[in-house]
C-alpha cells in the first residue's frame, strides 16, 4: 500500500440536495434498477395517499406516457406555492428540491403520513431527466419545471382553476443516465402496488392508465383490508369469513396522538402463510414490531381459547408456525412518528408498537372467538391438524432418509465438487445444468471458494410433488445435502454451508425452465434462504462473436451494440457532398451517433402522437421546435416558450372579457367544469424537450435540421446523395443523416459472425471462468422477496395443478418474437 497518498482538508467535500442523491441513489430509492425506478412513482403516490389519510384526497390517477414519463395526479389540497421569507424560494420549489424539506415534521398538517424524512419527492426530481409540477390551489393553477433535481423555470401562474378544483399533478421522466435507456415502467408491477394501496385506504379511488398500449385499471374498495385478505386467498378454500380488527390507542410518548391498529385475518385450508405488514400505508416487506406483536397476539388468543375448550391435546406441543399455517393476514399500523430501517421503509422498528398490537389483537380476537364458537372451533382444529401434520411429516422424513447422513458433512453428495475454504461468507455453490456444463465449471472454477453441483435433467416441480416423492428424488436429496439446510425451513438457516447459492443454467428455454424449478424449490422449501439474500442467479453470456476463428462471449445486448458501434466507427470517414463540403472522422463522428440516436427516439415518440419529424422540422424556428400546445376555442395553437403562452392567454382573455380558465385533462376532481368559452388546456410535448436538446447538439456539430431529411425527389430519379461513408474501400451513399446509425452498425458486423449463445457446455473451462465464474467479470443477480404475496400467486398459477389460470397468464404475457426474449434477465 502506498504511503504517499495525501489526505487533508482539500479532500473534504460537501454534497447537498440533488448532487448527494445522484451520487448515492441507492440510499434514497434502494437501487437504480427496476425496483428503484418504480420507487420514484411510489414516493409521489405516497404523498397523495398522505392527503387521503388527512381527509383531503378522494382520487388518484396514474398515467404511463408513451415517451417513458409518468404522471401522478390527485384532488388533494395542492402543494403550497407561497414564497418562503427565509429563502425567497417558493414552497413548491423547496418541496421538490431541498433535502429535508417537508410539511410532515410537526404533525400539524398531517396527523400521520407515509413520508417522514422529506426525501421522497426530492429523490424523484433528482433522478429524473426532467419533471414538472402543476398545482391547483386557492382558485389558481401553478406550474414549475425541473431538470435533474433543480428548478429550470420560475413559478408560473397558468390562470384560474375551475371552481372547486384542487390538487397536484407531478409528471416526470426517469433519467437514463441513472437508470439506463432500456429500463421502463412495468404496468403489472404498478397495478399490483396500487391495488394494494386501494385496499389499504377504504373508499380511495385509484386509476391507472397505460397510454403505451391502452390498458387501464380502476380500484376502489369500500371494505378495505377485509376485502384484501379475501383477494389474497383467491384460489384457496377459506375456513371462515374475514375477521376485522380496528382500534385506536393513545400514543405512549405523546397522548394527544393516537396509534391506529387495523388487522384483517382469514385462515384457509392450505399450508402457506401470508402476512402483509404496513405502516401509514407503506409496505414493510421485512415486517417489524407490528408483525411480532401480531403473531404474539394471535398465538396467545387462540392458544388460550383452544385449551379452555379442550380442543388442543395436552400431549402435542404447539409451535408458533402451527398458528400461522394457512393464515392470511394484513397488519396495518397508523403511527404519528414511525421509525423505519431505511428510506425504503422495509421494517418498522418502534418498540412500543409490539405491545400495542399484541394487546389489541389478543383482546379483539379473544372477543371474536367467544362470540363465534363455530369459526373458533374450525380455526383451532386447523391449528391442531397443522401440528399433527408437522409431527407426522418429521417422522416420515426421518423414516425415509437418515437425516444426519443427509445434512451432516460426511454425507455430502458424491457428485459435489466442494471448495477448500470453510469461511461460509466467502464461499459459493453453483447449481449447474447437466454434467457437461458441470465438468466445464469444475475445471474452470476457483477451487478455493467455488463449489459445483451438477444437476441432471429437469429438477422435480415441488409445487406439485408430495413430500415422500420430494425426499426420494436424488437431485433434491443432493441439493439439500449440499446446501446444508433442511427442507420446509422457515426460521433457522444457520447451518447453510455457502454464502451464495448460485443457479447457473443455459440462456435458453430449457435453462429458463430449470431455473424456475429451482426457484420454486427454494421459495417453497427454503424460503428463509431467499429472504436472507443467499440465493443468486448467474447470467451467462448472450452472444458469441467470432472473428478469424477467435471467439468472444458478450454478456449483454448493450455490450454487443457498443462493440458493433466501435468497430463500425474505426477508420470510417463521413464525407458531406452537398453544401459545405467536408470530411468527418474520429471523435467528431463517434459523437454524432448518440445525437442521432436521441433524435430517432424522440421521432418515434412524435409518431406515437400522430405527428412526424418531417412535420416538426417544417415548424422549427431558429433550430428549435414548438413544445407547448394550447387547445382553445376548438383550435390548436403551438408555441415555443411559456412567455408566448402567457401572452396568448392575455390577448384571448382581453378579447373574451374574462380570464381564461386552465382545465387540465389530467386533473382529477369532482369540482364544477370550467366555462367552455373560457376553458383552455395546455399540453407540453415532453419528447420535444429532448428533440430540442438533440437539435442544439446537432447544430453545434456543424449540421442543420434539414440534414435529417432527404432532399425532395425528382420524379423518376434516385434520391440525391448528400453524404458518403467510406472505410477500407467500401463506399455507402446516404440521402440523409438519419441513415448513418444503421450503416455504422453494418460496417461493425463486417468480418465477424454473431450468434445467439445458448449452451454453457459449448464453452471450455477458461471461457466459462472469464464469462460466468470470475467475480470481477461475471453478471449475477440476487433473488429478493420484494413482493411475497405476488410471488405466492405466480408460483401457484404457473407451477401448480390448475391449468386454466396458467393458460390465461401465458396468453396475456406471450411474446410474439422469441428472439426478443432475454433468457438471462
Amino acid at each position: 500500500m502506498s504511503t504517499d497518498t495525501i489526505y487533508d482538508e482539500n479532500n473534504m467535500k460537501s454534497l447537498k440536495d440533488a448532487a448527494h442523491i445522484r451520487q448515492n441513489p441507492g440510499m434514497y430509492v434502494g437501487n437504480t434498477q427496476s425496483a428503484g425506478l418504480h420507487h420514484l412513482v411510489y414516493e409521489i403516490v405516497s404523498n397523495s395517499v398522505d392527503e387521503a389519510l388527512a381527509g383531503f384526497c378522494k382520487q388518484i390517477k396514474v398515467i404511463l406516457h408513451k415517451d417513458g414519463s409518468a404522471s401522478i395526479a390527485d384532488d388533494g389540497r395542492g402543494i403550497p406555492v407561497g414564497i418562503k421569507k427565509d429563502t425567497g424560494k417558493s414552497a413548491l420549489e423547496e418541496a421538490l428540491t431541498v433535502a429535508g424539506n417537508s410539511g410532515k415534521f410537526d404533525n400539524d398538517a398531517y396527523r400521520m403520513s407515509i413520508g417522514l424524512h422529506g426525501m421522497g419527492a426530492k429523490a424523484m426530481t433528482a433522478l429524473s431527466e426532467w419533471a414538472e409540477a402543476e398545482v391547483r390551489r386557492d382558485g389558481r393553477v401553478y406550474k414549475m419545471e425541473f431538470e435533474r433535481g433543480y428548478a429550470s423555470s420560475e413559478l408560473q401562474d397558468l390562470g384560474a382553476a375551475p371552481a372547486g378544483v384542487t390538487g397536484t399533478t407531478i409528471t416526470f421522466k426517469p433519467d437514463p443516465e441513472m437508470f439506463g435507456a432500456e429500463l421502463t415502467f412495468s404496468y403489472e408491477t404498478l397495478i399490483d402496488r396500487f391495488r394494494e394501496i386501494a385496499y389499504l385506504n377504504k373508499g380511495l379511488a385509484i386509476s391507472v392508465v397505460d397510454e403505451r398500449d391502452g390498458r387501464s385499471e380502476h380500484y376502489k374498495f369500500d371494505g378495505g383490508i377485509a376485502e384484501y385478505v379475501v383477494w389474497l386467498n383467491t384460489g384457496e378454500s377459506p375456513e371462515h369469513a374475514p375477521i376485522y380488527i380496528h382500534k385506536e390507542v393513545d400514543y405512549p410518548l405523546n397522548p394527544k396522538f393516537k396509534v391506529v391498529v387495523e388487522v384483517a385475518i382469514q385462515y384457509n385450508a392450505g399450508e402457506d402463510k401470508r402476512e402483509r405488514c404496513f405502516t401509514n400505508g407503506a409496505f414493510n416487506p421485512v415486517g417489524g414490531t407490528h408483525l411480532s406483536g401480531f403473531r404474539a397476539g394471535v398465538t396467545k388468543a387462540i392458544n388460550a381459547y383452544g385449551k379452555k375448550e379442550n380442543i388442543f391435546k395436552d400431549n402435542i406441543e404447539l409451535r408458533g408456525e402451527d398458528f400461522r399455517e394457512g393464515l392470511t393476514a394484513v397488519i396495518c399500523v397508523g403511527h404519528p412518528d414511525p421509525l423505519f430501517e431505511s428510506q425504503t421503509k422495509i421494517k418498522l422498528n418502534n418498540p412500543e408498537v409490539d405491545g400495542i398490537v399484541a394487546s389489541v389483537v389478543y383482546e379483539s380476537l379473544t372477543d371474536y372467538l367467544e362470540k363465534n364458537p363455530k369459526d373458533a372451533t374450525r380455526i383451532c382444529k386447523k391449528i391442531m391438524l397443522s401440528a399433527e401434520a408437522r409431527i407426522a411429516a418429521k417422522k416420515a422424513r426421518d423414516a425415509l432418509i437418515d437425516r444426519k447422513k443427509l445434512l451432516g458433512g460426511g454425507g455430502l453428495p458424491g457428485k459435489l465438487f466442494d471448495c477448500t475454504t470453510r469461511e461460509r461468507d466467502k464461499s459459493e455453490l453453483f447449481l449447474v445444468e447437466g454434467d457437461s456444463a458441470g465438468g466445464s465449471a469444475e475445471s474452470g472454477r476457483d477451487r478455493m471458494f467455488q463449489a459445483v453441483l451438477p444437476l441432471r435433467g429437469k429438477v422435480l416441480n415441488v409445487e406439485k410433488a408430495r413430500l415422500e416423492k420430494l425426499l426420494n428424488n436424488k437431485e433434491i436429496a443432493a441439493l439439500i445435502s449440499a446446501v446444508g439446510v433442511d427442507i420446509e425451513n422457515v426460521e433457522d438457516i444457520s447451518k447453510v454451508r455457502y454464502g451464495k447459492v448460485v443457479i447457473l443454467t443455459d440462456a435458453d428455454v430449457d435453462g429458463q425452465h430449470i431455473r424456475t424449478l429451482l426457484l420454486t424449490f427454494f421459495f417453497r422449501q427454503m424460503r428463509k434462504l431467499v429472504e436472507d439474500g443467499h440465493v443468486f442467479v448467474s447470467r451467462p453470456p448472450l452472444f458469441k462473436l467470432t472473428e478469424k476463428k477467435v471467439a468472444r462471449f458478450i454478456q449483454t445486448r448493450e455490450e454487443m451494440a457498443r462493440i458493433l458501434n466501435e468497430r463500425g466507427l474505426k477508420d470510417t470517414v463521413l464525407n458531406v457532398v452537398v453544401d459545405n463540403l467536408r470530411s468527418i472522422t474520429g471523435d467528431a463522428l463517434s459523437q454524432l451517433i448518440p445525437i442521432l440516436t436521441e433524435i430517432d427516439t424522440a421521432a418515434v415518440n412524435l409518431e406515437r402522437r400522430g405527428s412526424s419529424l418531417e412535420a416538426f422540422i417544417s415548424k422549427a424556428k431558429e433550430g428549435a421546435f414548438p413544445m407547448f400546445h394550447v387547445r382553445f376555442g376548438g383550435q390548436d395553437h403551438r408555441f415555443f416558450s411559456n412567455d408566448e403562452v402567457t401572452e396568448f392567454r392575455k390577448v384571448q382573455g382581453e378579447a373574451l372579457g374574462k380570464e381564461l380558465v386552465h382545465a387540465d385533462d389530467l386533473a382529477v376532481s369532482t369540482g364544477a367544469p370550467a366555462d367552455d368559452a373560457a376553458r383552455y388546456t395546455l399540453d407540453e410535448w415532453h419528447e420535444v424537450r429532448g428533440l430540442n436538446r438533440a437539435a442544439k447538439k446537432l447544430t453545434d456539430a456543424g449540421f442543420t435540421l434539414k440534414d435529417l431529411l432527404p432532399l425532395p425527389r425528382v420524379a423518376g430519379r434516385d434520391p440525391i446523395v448528400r453524404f458518403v461513408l467510406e472505410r477500407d474501400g467500401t463506399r455507402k451513399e446516404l440521402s440523409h443523416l438519419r441513415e448513418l446509425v444503421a450503416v455504422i452498425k453494418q460496417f461493425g458486423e463486417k468480418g465477424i459472425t454473431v450468434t445467439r449463445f445458448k449452451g454453457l457446455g459449448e464453452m471450455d473451462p477458461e471461457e466459462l471462468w472469464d464469462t460466468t465464474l470470475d467475480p470481477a467479470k461475471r453478471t449475477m443477480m440476487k433473488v429478493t422477496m420484494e413482493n411475497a404475496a405476488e410471488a405466492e400467486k405466480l408460483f401457484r398459477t404457473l407451477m401448480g395443478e390448475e391449468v386454466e389460470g396458467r393458460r390465461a397468464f401465458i396468453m396475456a404475457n406471450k411474446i410474439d418474437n422469441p428472439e426478443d426474449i432475454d433468457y438471462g434477465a
Side-chain angles (χ1 to χ4, degrees):
M1 179 181 295
S2 172
T3 58
D4 298 331
T5 303
I6 297 175
Y7 175 61
D8 58 21
E9 66 279 2
N10 296 315
N11 298 104
M12 307 302 291
K13 298 180 181 179
S14 176
L15 295 177
K16 295 172 57 180
D17 303 329
H20 191 271
I21 296 170
R22 291 177 69 85
Q23 180 78 19
N24 307 281
M27 290 178 57
Y28 300 92
V29 298
N31 58 43
T32 53
Q33 298 166 15
S34 179
L37 180 79
H38 292 89
H39 192 80
L40 300 182
V41 180
Y42 302 152
E43 287 286 6
I44 304 306
V45 171
S46 293
N47 290 335
S48 298
V49 173
D50 287 342
E51 281 289 283
L53 291 172
F56 296 99
C57 174
K58 302 297 182 186
Q59 302 178 73
I60 301 172
K61 187 174 185 179
V62 179
I63 300 177
L64 305 180
H65 300 293
K66 294 178 179 179
D67 66 347
S69 63
S71 293
I72 299 94
D74 66 48
D75 61 350
R77 290 170 288 186
I79 299 173
V81 296
I83 303 300
K84 301 286 292 293
K85 293 181 180 179
D86 55 339
T87 63
K89 296 181 179 180
S90 71
L92 176 61
E93 179 179 352
E94 292 196 352
L96 294 179
T97 62
V98 179
N101 178 277
S102 176
K104 304 170 186 177
F105 290 144
D106 57 13
N107 290 105
D108 290 337
Y110 294 90
R111 184 166 62 99
M112 59 186 64
S113 66
I114 301 174
L116 298 172
H117 310 120
M119 296 307 304
K122 270 68 71 174
M124 176 279 300
T125 313
L127 299 176
S128 294
E129 180 181 349
W130 56 261
E132 64 180 36
E134 187 176 294
V135 175
R136 300 165 291 281
R137 183 182 174 94
D138 303 324
R140 310 294 296 176
V141 181
Y142 302 91
K143 180 183 175 183
M144 198 164 192
E145 300 172 1
F146 307 85
E147 289 187 10
R148 294 186 169 93
Y150 299 97
S152 58
S153 77
E154 299 294 327
L155 180 67
Q156 308 158 43
D157 185 333
L158 299 183
V165 174
T166 60
T168 301
T169 299
I170 301 290
T171 302
F172 70 94
K173 184 177 182 181
D175 190 353
E177 290 182 7
M178 305 304 299
F179 296 97
E182 303 300 319
L183 198 59
T184 59
F185 292 117
S186 164
Y187 175 78
E188 290 79 10
T189 298
L190 291 173
I191 63 172
D192 285 338
R193 178 68 179 118
F194 299 143
R195 181 195 301 112
E196 187 174 73
I197 290 174
Y199 276 125
L200 297 173
N201 296 272
K202 289 182 181 180
L204 175 64
I206 303 180
S207 300
V208 186
V209 178
D210 191 342
E211 292 182 342
R212 299 170 300 183
D213 55 21
R215 290 180 292 179
S216 64
E217 289 285 351
H218 179 78
Y219 301 117
K220 185 172 181 287
F221 304 107
D222 295 325
I225 62 172
E227 287 189 56
Y228 191 14
V229 293
V230 173
W231 182 82
L232 289 173
N233 273 330
T234 301
E236 302 284 1
S237 300
E239 298 283 358
H240 55 87
I243 302 170
Y244 179 69
I245 297 170
H246 182 278
K247 189 172 183 179
E248 295 188 6
V249 181
D250 287 339
Y251 179 36
L253 302 182
N254 190 342
K256 84 171 187 175
F257 297 116
K258 300 286 186 182
V259 176
V260 181
V261 179
E262 188 180 16
V263 175
I265 303 169
Q266 187 180 47
Y267 278 92
N268 62 65
E271 299 177 353
D272 299 320
K273 77 174 191 307
R274 304 177 184 90
E275 296 165 314
R276 302 282 286 170
C277 300
F278 303 86
T279 305
N280 296 355
F283 176 47
N284 315 126
V286 182
T289 49
H290 45 355
L291 178 59
S292 59
F294 166 77
R295 288 178 173 178
V298 167
T299 301
K300 183 179 178 182
I302 300 178
N303 193 40
Y305 183 87
K307 288 183 177 179
K308 181 173 72 73
E309 298 296 325
N310 294 318
I311 302 173
F312 294 154
K313 299 175 183 178
D314 293 335
N315 62 335
I316 292 184
E317 178 189 359
L318 296 175
R319 296 182 179 177
E321 63 196 81
D322 300 324
F323 290 87
R324 295 192 289 277
E325 185 172 300
L327 171 65
T328 298
V330 178
I331 305 106
C332 303
V333 171
H335 199 289
D337 187 25
L339 303 174
F340 294 114
E341 189 164 292
S342 70
Q343 167 67 14
T344 51
K345 307 174 180 69
I346 63 172
K347 184 179 181 181
L348 180 66
N349 288 333
N350 295 72
E352 75 281 356
V353 170
D354 189 310
I356 291 173
V357 174
S359 177
V360 169
V361 170
Y362 170 72
E363 294 173 3
S364 301
L365 188 54
T366 297
D367 183 63
Y368 175 87
L369 297 172
E370 293 290 347
K371 293 178 179 178
N372 298 272
K374 289 185 179 180
D375 288 348
T377 300
R378 287 174 64 89
I379 291 171
C380 289
K381 288 183 176 180
K382 160 75 178 173
I383 292 167
M384 194 67 193
L385 287 172
S386 297
E388 292 172 344
R390 170 176 53 80
I391 294 169
K394 184 178 184 304
K395 291 180 179 178
R397 292 198 301 269
D398 290 345
L400 284 167
I401 297 176
D402 184 338
R403 311 294 286 174
K404 291 183 180 180
K405 182 178 179 181
L406 180 63
L407 294 172
L412 292 176
K415 60 182 179 178
L416 171 69
F417 302 105
D418 208 356
C419 55
T420 302
T421 183
R422 289 296 172 260
E423 294 184 66
R424 186 182 68 181
D425 292 342
K426 295 182 179 179
S427 64
E428 303 173 346
L429 171 64
F430 285 86
L431 307 177
V432 182
E433 172 189 351
D435 291 336
S436 175
S440 293
E442 192 281 325
S443 299
R445 66 184 173 130
D446 185 326
R447 289 175 171 79
M448 174 57 68
F449 68 96
Q450 291 179 327
V452 174
L453 178 65
L455 298 173
R456 181 175 298 177
K458 297 288 178 66
V459 180
L460 181 70
N461 180 5
V462 301
E463 188 75 14
K464 300 178 181 180
R466 296 178 62 87
L467 180 63
E468 56 268 25
K469 185 176 181 182
L470 186 152
L471 290 171
N472 278 321
N473 183 274
K474 291 182 180 179
E475 301 302 310
I476 294 294
L479 184 54
I480 295 169
S481 177
V483 172
V485 175
D486 200 356
I487 59 173
E488 298 183 330
N489 194 304
V490 294
E491 300 295 342
D492 182 20
I493 59 166
S494 60
K495 294 181 181 179
V496 62
R497 301 184 66 246
Y498 304 93
K500 291 184 176 71
V501 178
V502 186
I503 300 171
L504 176 56
T505 58
D506 291 345
D508 58 11
V509 174
D510 287 338
Q512 189 83 338
H513 189 196
I514 292 171
R515 181 204 294 185
T516 303
L517 291 167
L518 286 169
L519 288 173
T520 305
F521 170 77
F522 285 120
F523 183 77
R524 288 302 185 200
Q525 299 296 334
M526 296 182 182
R527 186 177 302 190
K528 186 67 173 174
L529 210 63
V530 179
E531 291 174 346
D532 284 11
H534 288 280
V535 180
F536 293 78
V537 171
S538 181
R539 293 190 64 177
L542 292 181
F543 298 98
K544 183 178 181 179
L545 187 155
T546 306
E547 183 177 11
K548 297 179 180 178
K549 298 184 179 181
V550 177
R552 293 171 59 191
F553 295 94
I554 311 301
Q555 289 289 130
T556 65
R557 296 180 188 276
E558 293 76 16
E559 185 183 359
M560 187 74 249
R562 179 183 58 77
I563 291 172
L564 293 179
N565 194 52
E566 289 177 353
R567 294 185 83 260
L569 287 166
K570 186 178 180 181
D571 299 327
T572 298
V573 179
L574 173 64
N575 296 306
V576 181
V577 297
V578 294
D579 301 328
N580 184 19
L581 297 175
R582 63 192 190 280
S583 297
I584 301 169
T585 60
D587 290 343
L589 182 58
S590 64
Q591 291 169 8
L592 194 56
I593 300 299
I595 297 173
L596 295 173
T597 302
E598 193 174 339
I599 288 172
D600 274 342
T601 300
V604 170
N605 289 325
L606 285 173
E607 290 166 0
R608 289 172 175 169
R609 282 188 179 266
S611 187
S612 67
L613 184 61
E614 290 81 359
F616 260 65
I617 288 178
S618 69
K619 297 178 176 63
K621 182 173 67 175
E622 297 179 358
F625 301 99
M627 292 176 57
F628 303 95
H629 295 246
V630 172
R631 180 75 176 174
F632 174 71
Q635 294 184 333
D636 291 317
H637 307 268
R638 295 180 178 180
F639 303 99
F640 289 84
S641 68
N642 281 307
D643 290 340
E644 290 183 358
V645 176
T646 300
E647 181 63 23
F648 174 82
R649 284 175 35 227
K650 179 182 177 182
V651 171
Q652 296 298 328
E654 290 174 351
L656 192 63
K658 63 176 73 173
E659 183 179 19
L660 299 193
V661 176
H662 178 70
D664 187 354
D665 291 335
L666 279 181
V668 291
S669 177
T670 55
D675 176 6
D676 284 342
R679 183 182 190 275
Y680 86 96
T681 60
L682 173 62
D683 184 15
E684 182 175 349
W685 287 21
H686 297 292
E687 51 268 61
V688 179
R689 186 194 302 264
L691 194 56
N692 282 335
R693 278 197 296 266
K696 174 69 166 54
K697 297 175 186 175
L698 188 67
T699 302
D700 292 343
F703 295 90
T704 68
L705 296 174
K706 291 182 179 180
D707 290 328
L708 300 172
L709 303 176
L711 293 174
R713 293 185 62 177
V714 177
R717 296 186 182 180
D718 293 332
I720 297 174
V721 175
R722 305 177 65 190
F723 307 96
V724 176
L725 271 178
E726 292 182 324
R727 189 184 74 166
D728 298 333
T730 301
R731 174 186 171 94
K732 187 70 175 180
E733 297 178 347
L734 313 179
S735 62
H736 59 85
L737 203 55
R738 290 178 68 192
E739 295 178 329
L740 178 65
V741 176
V743 176
I744 290 292
K745 182 182 178 184
Q746 291 174 11
F747 280 4
E749 293 172 342
K750 187 175 181 180
I752 63 173
T753 302
V754 178
T755 56
R756 177 67 169 79
F757 174 72
K758 296 182 179 180
L760 295 170
E762 297 176 20
M763 289 189 283
D764 60 36
E766 291 76 15
E767 291 171 332
L768 193 58
W769 166 258
D770 287 337
T771 63
T772 311
L773 299 176
D774 184 356
K777 300 176 183 177
R778 69 192 182 190
T779 302
M780 208 156 66
M781 301 176 292
K782 180 186 288 187
V783 180
T784 62
M785 290 276 284
E786 293 177 5
N787 192 337
E790 184 63 17
E792 286 273 3
K793 179 182 174 184
L794 280 176
F795 277 114
R796 207 161 54 234
T797 299
L798 299 179
M799 308 302 290
E801 298 284 359
E802 202 267 317
V803 176
E804 286 304 316
R806 180 159 54 252
R807 180 183 291 115
F809 180 91
I810 292 171
M811 294 304 295
N813 295 275
K814 64 181 180 180
I815 297 175
D816 294 328
N817 184 6
E819 291 300 318
D820 292 337
I821 301 175
D822 183 351
Y823 290 104

